Amino acid sequence: MAKPLVVIVGRPNVGKSTLFNRMVGRSAAIVEDVPGVTRDLNYLDAEWEGKPFIAVDTGGFYPRHDENIFVQIKEQALFAVQEADVVIHLLDAKDGLNPFDAELAALLRGSGKGVLWAVNKVDTSKQEPAVLDFYSLGISEPVPVSAATGYNFDELMEKVAALLPEPAPEEAREYPKVAVLGRPNVGKSTLVNALLGKKRLLVSPVPGTTRDAIDTLCTYYGRKYLLIDTAGIRRKDTRGYSIERFAMVRTLRSIERADVCLVLIDAAEGIVAEDQKIAGLVHSRLKGAVFVLNKWDLVTEHDKVLAELMKTLGRKLWFFAHAPVLTASSLERTRITKVFPLVDQVMEARRTRIPTAELNRFAQDISLPPHKGRKVKIHYMTQVAVEPPAFTLFTNFPEGIKPSSLRHVEARLRKAYPAFAGTPLRFFKKPRK
Ligand code: GDP
């Protein structure tokens, strides 16, 4: 189930980041980081009373305060209207009403989105009359709040939670859901257009589960695949806000909905930090990956470049070093349909189940470093889930199994079972009964 987006908008200095930090507070620690991959801190997982969502701080996308505020306000509004499930327009009680607030409120009011108007910096109930000013924006019921002290924060979050969409029932899983990802200009739309233009591919548009997302169901040699948000990929720069600025949020949304992600890399330019971030997000969301080294037509020394790219991939994207890699040219339409058998392969990997008896034999051969002078032993091991595969290790000393030990177990498991290539794996630890 894809998590809904709660987007905070408002002019600079109203306290967007403070509110964002309070919203993601404790839950921020839940998402496991891939060591060595820097994470964007402008969108993070949050939860209110068991309802999970992703909070987005639009202020974080404008790191320089001198960036044109007209542009900021307009882009924030368009982005929120396009992408958000719930919008919080944050106002500032200390500053009072401001023409930019009016402009932003007007853009949001007519959008048909769930919008909450929150008046920040109301630190105590005595200051509540300050919200009265804001009724002139033509909005319903501004909510007083103090992001800094937490005053009335729970009440605001109740209202947010009430506007969150009900989780849709899990769709029937007859076909893999595939997201096409990559940094701007890597060739995503060229690839999607090329794939959908293939004669052998029967395609039909399917409205997506998220707002205006249009997915495409295609059939390749009798097998079905759902390409996620093809409309979003193909529609270029028509939304009126900087796609590049907010690209990661859109990427995250697609990852949330996917089983397998095609991560496009510009073969001519090599693997850059943004590729690492995207792959890191895919991994943290426990989705499968296929790497497409696109623009292969621009590469002249094929063997040399491939060897170099594979080496860099192993180093910068080590957590996905097992994933399939395809060289392709979306422009010349070479090898692009090879993505489908690779998607099948990764789906198989995600559904692979190893019998307990085998895993127990495997576990016998694993030796782990001692912890605080105590021996650490895995007594049994069992696979508890698929999509992605998850394992429970029964041990004499759960705290003694450190992340580095788990990485060792994972590496050994992958070596013993190459069928897991392309999917992340999960591990749980339990004391032996
Ligand atoms: P997107 O932003 O990821 O959707 O990228 P586009 O599909 O818009 O492609 C950006 C530019 O790269 C366009 O000029 C494409 O023609 C070009 N391009 C895309 N794929 C290839 C490829 O395989 N080879 C070459 N040479 N150019 C490509």
Side-chain angles (χ1 to χ4, degrees):
M1 162 67 201
K3 291 180 191 167
L5 287 193
V6 174
V7 176
I8 310 171
V9 299
R11 47 189 184 80
N13 293 318
V14 294
K16 292 189 294 298
S17 302
T18 315
L19 181 65
F20 173 77
N21 286 333
R22 189 170 282 279
M23 279 166 68
V24 299
R26 279 150 298 165
S27 47
I30 293 174
V31 178
E32 245 177 78
D33 278 320
V34 179
V37 177
T38 41
R39 204 147 53 97
D40 257 308
L41 299 176
N42 308 323
Y43 43 87
L44 288 173
D45 286 292
E47 193 184 294
W48 188 255
E49 288 175 353
K51 286 189 167 182
F53 60 92
I54 296 168
V56 184
D57 172 14
T58 53
F61 297 103
Y62 298 88
R64 286 179 24 240
H65 272 303
D66 56 346
E67 280 191 70
N68 188 325
I69 179 168
F70 278 109
V71 175
Q72 280 195 41
I73 294 287
K74 188 123 191 278
E75 286 195 340
Q76 281 181 15
L78 289 167
F79 167 71
V81 166
Q82 192 82 43
E83 309 286 348
D85 294 280
V86 178
V87 185
I88 301 176
H89 179 184
L90 201 60
L91 301 150
D92 185 332
K94 293 242 150 63
D95 268 9
L97 202 53
N98 175 302
F100 292 115
D101 296 333
E103 167 125 17
L104 187 48
L107 286 167
L108 294 172
R109 232 175 20 218
S111 71
K113 282 273 153 141
V115 186
L116 285 169
W117 278 276
V119 182
N120 192 29
K121 308 189 190 176
V122 176
D123 298 333
T124 64
S125 57
K126 275 206 199 92
Q127 297 167 2
E128 282 205 16
V131 307
L132 295 174
D133 267 3
F134 293 92
Y135 276 100
S136 65
L137 290 175
I139 58 180
S140 59
E141 239 195 305
V143 186
V145 71
S146 169
T149 69
Y151 174 75
N152 216 42
F153 174 73
D154 288 10
E155 286 74 5
L156 174 64
M157 291 311 294
E158 295 291 324
K159 292 186 199 289
V160 170
L163 288 176
L164 290 174
E166 286 303 314
E170 191 58 38
E171 299 150 56
R173 304 290 232 91
E174 3 154 7
Y175 35 72
K177 290 183 271 179
V178 182
V180 178
L181 311 175
R183 61 196 174 98
N185 285 320
V186 71
K188 295 179 295 298
S189 44
T190 310
L191 175 66
V192 168
N193 286 323
L195 282 175
L196 301 187
K198 285 269 171 185
K199 281 204 194 67
R200 284 225 186 75
L201 231 67
L202 294 170
V203 299
S204 53
V206 186
T209 51
T210 25
R211 291 155 298 268
D212 66 337
I214 303 285
D215 301 338
T216 305
L217 188 63
C218 50
T219 309
Y220 186 68
Y221 285 104
R223 300 176 82 110
K224 289 188 171 125
Y225 305 84
L226 191 77
L227 292 181
I228 288 176
D229 194 15
T230 42
I233 300 168
R234 302 169 101 186
R235 173 184 59 213
K236 311 274 296 182
D237 301 314
T238 53
R239 270 166 263 155
Y241 62 83
S242 157
I243 311 256
E244 310 222 348
R245 215 189 270 281
F246 295 104
M248 276 294 176
V249 178
R250 182 158 265 273
T251 298
L252 179 59
R253 240 182 57 185
S254 296
I255 295 173
E256 283 274 333
R257 299 183 52 217
D259 298 306
V260 179
C261 300
L262 303 179
V263 181
L264 272 65
I265 297 203
D266 189 325
E269 295 193 0
I271 296 165
V272 299
E274 216 173 336
D275 301 328
Q276 226 190 349
K277 257 188 203 170
I278 293 169
L281 272 181
V282 175
H283 190 269
S284 73
R285 264 39 206 188
L286 300 167
K287 304 304 172 106
V290 170
F291 290 97
V292 180
L293 305 177
N294 192 37
K295 308 200 184 178
W296 200 245
D297 56 291
L298 297 179
V299 172
T300 45
E301 295 178 278
H302 290 153
D303 295 345
K304 184 166 158 259
V305 171
L306 183 60
E308 273 168 15
L309 281 168
M310 292 306 288
K311 209 170 125 198
T312 327
L313 207 139
R315 189 161 45 82
K316 291 192 179 166
L317 309 178
W318 54 270
F319 46 92
F320 262 137
H322 47 81
V325 176
L326 174 72
T327 58
S329 167
S330 301
L331 193 66
E332 298 185 347
R333 305 187 172 202
T334 39
R335 284 188 306 285
I336 53 170
T337 49
K338 294 255 189 315
V339 297
F340 294 115
L342 294 177
V343 166
D344 289 344
Q345 190 188 314
V346 173
M347 278 313 282
E348 293 267 311
R350 294 174 69 71
R351 290 173 175 159
T352 297
R353 224 181 248 284
I354 310 292
T356 303
E358 259 184 61
L359 284 173
N360 283 334
R361 277 197 298 279
F362 164 82
Q364 294 317 306
D365 290 340
I366 302 271
S367 59
L368 296 178
H371 184 63
K372 294 190 174 156
R374 261 175 81 185
K375 269 186 115 159
V376 182
K377 185 136 180 47
I378 301 170
H379 292 285
Y380 330 104
M381 181 167 168
T382 158
Q383 184 168 352
V384 292
V386 289
E387 294 193 61
F391 304 86
T392 299
L393 311 176
F394 292 91
T395 168
N396 61 322
F397 189 16
E399 304 80 57
I401 302 185
K402 286 168 291 180
S404 58
S405 297
L406 283 182
R407 284 202 287 278
H408 171 67
V409 175
E410 174 167 352
R412 290 283 302 267
L413 192 66
R414 287 190 183 281
K415 206 160 170 218
Y417 298 101
F420 288 127
T423 182
L425 305 175
R426 304 181 78 184
F427 293 93
F428 302 102
K429 305 174 284 185
K430 275 200 180 151
R432 176 176 62 158
K433 281 181 240 102

